[in-house]
């Protein structure tokens, strides 16, 4: 599933990014698919490699431990919440590209899965990883300055809110999966 | 009276009507917003300053006054109706807080920006939309006009072909900075026939219809021009490099700019992912073989 999604994103990158990127004016004119296809294309090849690389690695691990359904749920929730972050909570944003919202959802889900370990060290490392992710995102939101974002084209800024909302999607997926595990039958 | 004289007595007036109709001169009436704003000529104009637009904006609309005080082809009431239809098309726009039609009497011929400053002080407008027009009317006789030689011809036969061409132009100025923000035009062509006896009335009707149709075209083109200006202004200039700088602020006082975003993971996220990888390795190492 994740490999298929990453392959789709890679193929989308070969097409015209302008036709798939999030464009506020076009979305408001009716091209609502851009809320999702905008998360499949990227501004640079480096950005695509980093985002899709994490997406592929985390997704492959979750699927290997038979967590495909939960991973799929995280991707759905992460993608939906990312679209909400862009359209509703970032009104000054006119264009958007990037799959880090999806990757953030899988990252948080994977960390919460590892944090269920009985061993203390893996649990602590997983929580440290989530804490680091959360701290960085919160700091970027509060100071409106990005940290170690990597080179992006002139005029393009990282949107930390996307990482936060994507992470919330991962938390929600983990919570829903836990509820299903606890419910009788 | 001899029969020859009697024929002349009846034919001469008809011939006179025929000649008169065939030689009805075209009319051409114009007014000019640039004439009103730059009565000394546009080369004498001072350069525009930086534009600051604070939403929501207060906008006035008016026809530019005639410098030569020539009569307009439409009445003041008709002008007000046309401008009201333009105003109604933009009243709901999110950037506009108030839109008002200003009577032409508020504008003095060659009043220039001093006149606009007076209007700004009294009515509080940020922007002024000035509308100019150029209307030409032509009348020519058709082949049916030979019937004018008969008694009933001029009464029943509409042998005059009338054409009315109208162009309306709207320029939008920021009063404080005296910068032209954008402009748009609308045009129409109205045709019809008349008899020599009602040609004047027909021309007046066509003049009015010409303005109505040109206004519809103007509204559509103004919407396009406004959308293009909004996009252009986000990049910081009115019409691109070399034109006045523009800063737009929303109702909360925040600067409105065009912003592109990227969902990009960086080194911290990859470090966090590496921590997860380490946690996995530790977990596997602790599992019994």
């Amino acid at each position: 599933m994740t490999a298929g999604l990453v392959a789709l994103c890679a193929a989308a990158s070969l097409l015209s990014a302008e036709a798939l990127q999030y464009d506020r004016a076009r979305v408001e004119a009716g091209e609502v698919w851009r809320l999702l296809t905008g998360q499949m294309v990227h501004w640079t090849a480096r950005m695509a490699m980093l985002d899709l690389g994490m997406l592929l690695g985390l997704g492959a691990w979750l699927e290997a431990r038979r967590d495909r359904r939960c991973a799929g749920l995280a991707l759905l929730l992460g993608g939906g919440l990312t679209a909400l972050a862009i359209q509703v909570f970032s009104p000054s944003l006119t264009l958007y590209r990037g799959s880090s919202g999806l990757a953030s959802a899988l990252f948080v889900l994977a960390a919460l899965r590892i944090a269920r370990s009985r061993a203390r060290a893996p649990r602590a490392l997983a929580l440290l990883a989530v804490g680091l992710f959360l701290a960085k995102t919160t700091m970027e939101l509060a100071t409106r300055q990005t940290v170690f974002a990597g080179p992006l084209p002139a005029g393009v800024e990282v949107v930390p809110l996307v990482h936060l909302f994507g992470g919330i999607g991962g938390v929600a997926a983990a919570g829903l999966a836990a509820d299903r595990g606890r419910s009788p039958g | 009276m001899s029969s020859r004289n009697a024929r002349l007595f009846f034919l001469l007036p008809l011939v006179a009507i025929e000649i008169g109709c065939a030689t009805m001169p075209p009319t051409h009436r114009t007014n000019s917003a640039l004439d009103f704003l730059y009565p000394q000529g546009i080369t004498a104009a001072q350069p525009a300053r930086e534009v600051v637009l604070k939403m929501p904006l207060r906008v006035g609309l008016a026809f530019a006054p005639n410098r030569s005080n020539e009569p307009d082809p439409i009445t003041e009431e008709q002008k007000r109706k046309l401008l009201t239809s333009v105003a109604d098309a933009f009243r709901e726009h999110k950037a506009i807080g108030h839109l008002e039609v200003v009577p032409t009497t508020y504008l003095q011929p060659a009043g220039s920006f001093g006149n606009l400053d007076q209007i700004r002080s009294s009515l509080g407008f940020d922007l002024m939309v000035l509308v100019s027009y150029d209307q030409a009317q032509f009348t020519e006789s058709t082949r049916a006009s030979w019937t004018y030689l008969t008694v009933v011809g001029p009464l029943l036969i509409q042998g005059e072909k009338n054409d009315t061409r109208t162009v309306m132009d709207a320029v939008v100025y920021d009063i404080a900075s005296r910068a032209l923000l954008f402009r748009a035009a609308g045009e129409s062509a109205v045709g019809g026939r008349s008899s020599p006896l009602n040609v004047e009335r027909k021309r007046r009707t066509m003049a009015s219809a010409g303005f109505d149709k040109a206004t519809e075209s103007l509204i559509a083109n103004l919407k396009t021009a406004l959308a293009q200006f909004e996009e252009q202004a986000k990049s910081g200039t009115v019409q691109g490099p070399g034109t006045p700088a523009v800063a737009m602020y929303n109702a909360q006082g925040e600067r409105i700019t065009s912003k592109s975003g990227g969902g990009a993971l960086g080194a911290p996220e990859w470090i966090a992912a590496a921590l997860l990888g380490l946690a996995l390795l530790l977990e596997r190492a602790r599992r019994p073989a």
Side-chain angles (χ1 to χ4, degrees):
Chain A
M1 176 189 70
T2 316
L5 176 62
V6 169
L8 197 62
C9 292
S13 300
L14 296 173
L15 300 171
S16 165
E18 281 78 23
L20 297 171
Q21 71 185 358
Y22 169 84
D23 185 327
R24 182 173 294 274
R26 288 179 189 256
V27 167
E28 289 174 357
E31 296 178 15
V32 292
W33 64 84
R34 290 175 181 266
L35 287 166
L36 295 177
T37 59
Q39 299 179 55
M40 294 167 66
V41 291
H42 302 83
W43 291 105
T44 63
R46 179 181 182 275
M47 181 188 171
M49 274 172 46
L50 291 178
D51 286 4
L52 295 178
M54 185 167 302
L55 194 64
L56 184 63
L58 292 169
W61 177 75
L62 285 165
E63 287 187 63
R65 65 191 305 268
R66 297 180 187 176
D67 238 341
R68 176 183 288 194
R69 193 176 288 182
C70 202
L73 186 61
L75 286 172
L76 268 174
L77 290 173
L81 287 171
T82 297
L84 188 70
I86 296 166
Q87 178 67 18
V88 177
F89 294 99
S90 305
S92 63
L93 206 57
T94 49
L95 302 174
Y96 176 86
R97 297 182 196 177
S99 54
S100 64
L102 300 173
S104 298
L106 290 188
F107 171 84
V108 170
L109 175 64
L112 292 177
R113 280 287 186 259
I114 298 171
R116 281 163 40 179
S117 169
R118 289 175 187 166
R120 195 186 296 177
R123 195 165 64 235
L125 280 171
L127 291 175
L128 179 64
V130 171
L132 182 66
F133 170 83
L134 196 63
K136 182 201 176 241
T137 304
T138 308
M139 189 181 73
E140 286 176 337
L141 282 169
T143 61
R144 298 195 181 198
Q145 300 239 338
T146 53
V147 179
F148 301 116
L152 286 172
V156 178
E157 298 171 3
V158 174
V159 186
L161 201 62
V162 160
H163 300 162
L164 182 67
F165 275 55
I168 291 172
V171 170
L176 286 169
D179 281 347
R180 268 189 100 170
R182 276 198 293 270
S183 61
Chain B
M1 186 188 290
S2 68
S3 61
R4 187 164 175 248
N5 288 340
R7 279 199 292 272
L8 275 175
F9 181 75
F10 285 108
L11 280 176
L12 272 175
L14 294 173
V15 171
I17 292 171
E18 168 79 14
I19 292 170
C21 295
T23 57
M24 191 158 190
T27 57
H28 185 215
R29 294 179 201 162
T30 68
N31 74 342
S32 170
L34 291 185
D35 222 19
F36 163 77
L37 291 170
Y38 305 104
Q40 316 299 332
I42 200 158
T43 51
Q46 292 189 353
R49 301 185 290 272
E50 180 179 315
V51 179
V52 177
L53 300 176
K54 295 180 183 173
M55 316 297 166
L57 296 164
R58 293 179 60 85
V59 183
L61 294 96
F63 269 92
N66 245 322
R67 193 174 187 182
S68 52
N69 279 321
E70 283 179 9
D72 290 312
I74 50 174
T75 64
E76 192 62 34
E77 178 62 21
Q78 284 171 313
K79 283 188 197 175
R80 191 187 63 75
K81 278 186 183 167
L82 291 173
L83 291 178
T84 301
S85 66
V86 175
D88 288 343
F90 292 92
R91 221 174 279 283
E92 298 303 320
H93 194 281
K94 59 182 186 297
I96 296 174
H98 178 77
L99 206 50
E100 187 177 337
V101 172
V102 179
T104 313
T105 48
Y106 278 52
L107 301 171
Q108 299 130 26
S112 192
F113 287 101
N115 197 176
L116 291 187
D117 287 336
Q118 289 171 342
I119 292 175
R120 182 174 178 232
S121 299
S122 54
L123 298 174
F125 293 139
D126 302 305
L127 306 184
M128 194 70 189
V129 182
L130 290 171
V131 180
S132 314
Y133 64 80
D134 184 313
Q135 187 175 72
Q137 293 190 290
F138 309 91
T139 299
E140 57 185 9
S141 297
T142 64
R143 277 180 285 184
S145 60
W146 68 268
T147 57
Y148 300 160
L149 293 172
T150 66
V151 174
V152 296
L155 296 169
L156 300 176
I157 305 301
Q158 298 194 354
E160 304 303 296
K161 187 181 165 195
N162 303 293
D163 280 310
T164 300
R165 309 273 168 89
T166 310
V167 175
M168 290 174 72
D169 188 272
V171 289
V172 183
Y173 272 84
D174 173 49
I175 302 175
S177 65
R178 306 187 175 193
L180 170 65
L181 301 184
F182 61 94
R183 58 162 294 278
E187 53 186 80
S188 69
V190 177
R193 289 180 179 259
S194 64
S195 72
L197 296 180
N198 67 354
V199 63
E200 287 291 338
R201 184 171 60 80
K202 281 279 188 171
R203 278 165 69 120
R204 280 198 302 276
T205 306
M206 284 180 196
S208 179
F211 273 100
D212 289 340
K213 284 192 173 179
T215 300
E216 288 172 12
S217 168
L218 176 66
I219 289 172
N221 292 334
L222 263 177
K223 285 183 176 175
T224 305
L226 175 59
Q228 287 170 349
F229 169 74
E230 283 179 311
E231 277 312 303
Q232 172 60 44
K234 285 176 188 172
S235 65
T237 58
V238 173
Q239 290 178 43
T243 60
V246 59
M248 298 199 300
Y249 297 88
N250 60 18
Q252 289 76 40
E254 296 165 337
R255 177 88 185 255
I256 299 171
T257 55
S258 176
K259 192 172 152 189
S260 297
L265 299 176
E269 284 85 5
W270 275 90
I271 291 170
L275 287 174
L276 282 187
L278 185 59
L280 266 175
L281 287 171
L282 286 174
E283 194 187 30
R284 278 194 184 171
R286 285 172 183 274
R287 269 190 216 153

